[in-house]
Amino acid sequence: ALAWKLAQSPKAGKVYVADSGNFAVRLYTPNGSGGWTKSDVATSGLGGIVGIAVDGAGGFGGTGAAIYQRADDFDAALGGSPGFTLEDFEGGAAVPGQVVICDDPLDAASDDRCFTPGQLVPGFRVRSTSGAGVGAVGSGFFGNASTAVGQVFLGDATIVELERGSTRVSMDLFLYDATDEDWIGVAVYGADGRSLGSASIQPGAGGTLLADAMQGFLGVIAPAPISRIELTASRGGAFIDNLRFDAGDAIFADGFD
């Protein structure tokens, strides 16, 4: 089977589809009627890939997770109040200007130097790729207005796991110790471990420049329950705050395995 991937241009809404079976890249353009107009094979002028999405069957079907970089666009797409659960990470021990290293993963059952049981809402976990720990970054450390959490070691990824069958989630993103040309790679996975889509978000382009970081936004509306979102910084570290997610039926009966 061909491995189709969908990559969307940030400028014109164009879509580049990589046909790995034929080692080709084809250009698709929205036709205004909910479909796509396919061009000849694109061989130049592609620029940097900013997003990839696949449908539920692992192929290109014009579906996949819709990933938003602007809060107002995300809220408009929701079409009303979704009844989100909010975690702002303000109930823990992190104080302004300091970083506290938390046990990995970070969740409602955490009982460490950062949080005690019940201080975080249930339904999610934050962990790092290496399992070395999660940092709780107090307000003002890199210009953040409130506590943010994320990977301890630069080079790790920050992973947000969702336990309640959420199909809609958003968060504030922070790219620390990087340039305004760097980005955060976002990969969204479903309950079966298959990709629901991915994108590259560049907080330095249209986001908020802080003292030592750049702040952006991530919103995801997926066609199937989301099990995890992986955030990988091209340079520096990826941190989150103000995590919001809807709550459906639990994906797993006894947590993540």
Side-chain angles (χ1 to χ4, degrees), residues 1-74:
L2 296 178
W4 292 96
K5 294 182 178 180
L6 174 66
Q8 185 168 350
S9 165
K11 294 183 179 180
K14 298 176 182 178
V15 169
Y16 299 106
V17 178
D19 175 357
S20 59
N22 293 317
F23 301 100
V25 178
R26 308 182 192 281
L27 175 61
Y28 286 68
T29 305
N31 62 14
S33 301
W36 302 93
T37 299
K38 184 178 72 172
S39 76
D40 294 333
V41 175
T43 57
S44 64
L46 298 181
I49 290 179
V50 299
I52 298 173
V54 296
D55 66 13
F60 171 62
T63 60
I67 299 176
Y68 298 86
Q69 302 185 50
R70 293 173 53 92
D72 53 354
D73 291 340
F74 177 70

Side-chain angles (χ1 to χ4, degrees), residues 104-107 121-128 158-166 169 171 189 226-231 240 243 245 251-252 255-257:
D104 199 332
L106 187 70
D107 59 21
V121 299
F124 80 96
R125 295 174 180 170
V126 178
R127 63 180 178 88
S128 64
T158 295
I159 301 174
V160 180
E161 296 178 332
L162 300 171
E163 301 176 294
R164 293 189 170 181
S166 302
V169 60
M171 64 196 78
Y189 294 91
I226 301 166
S227 66
R228 75 182 189 275
I229 299 175
E230 297 185 359
L231 307 170
I240 71 167
L243 174 67
F245 55 95
I251 299 177
F252 303 103
F256 288 85
D257 49 23

Side-chain angles (χ1 to χ4, degrees), residues 5 52 97 125 142 156 181 184 221 226 238 241:
K5 294 182 178 180
I52 298 173
R125 295 174 180 170
F142 48 61
D156 260 2
E181 295 183 353
I184 297 174
I221 300 177
I226 301 166
D241 192 9

Side-chain angles (χ1 to χ4, degrees), residues 193-221:
R194 299 182 71 170
S195 172
L196 294 176
S198 63
S200 295
I201 292 181
Q202 193 174 19
T208 302
L209 299 181
L210 306 176
D212 295 301
M214 287 146 288
Q215 180 177 346
F217 174 83
L218 169 64
V220 180
I221 300 177

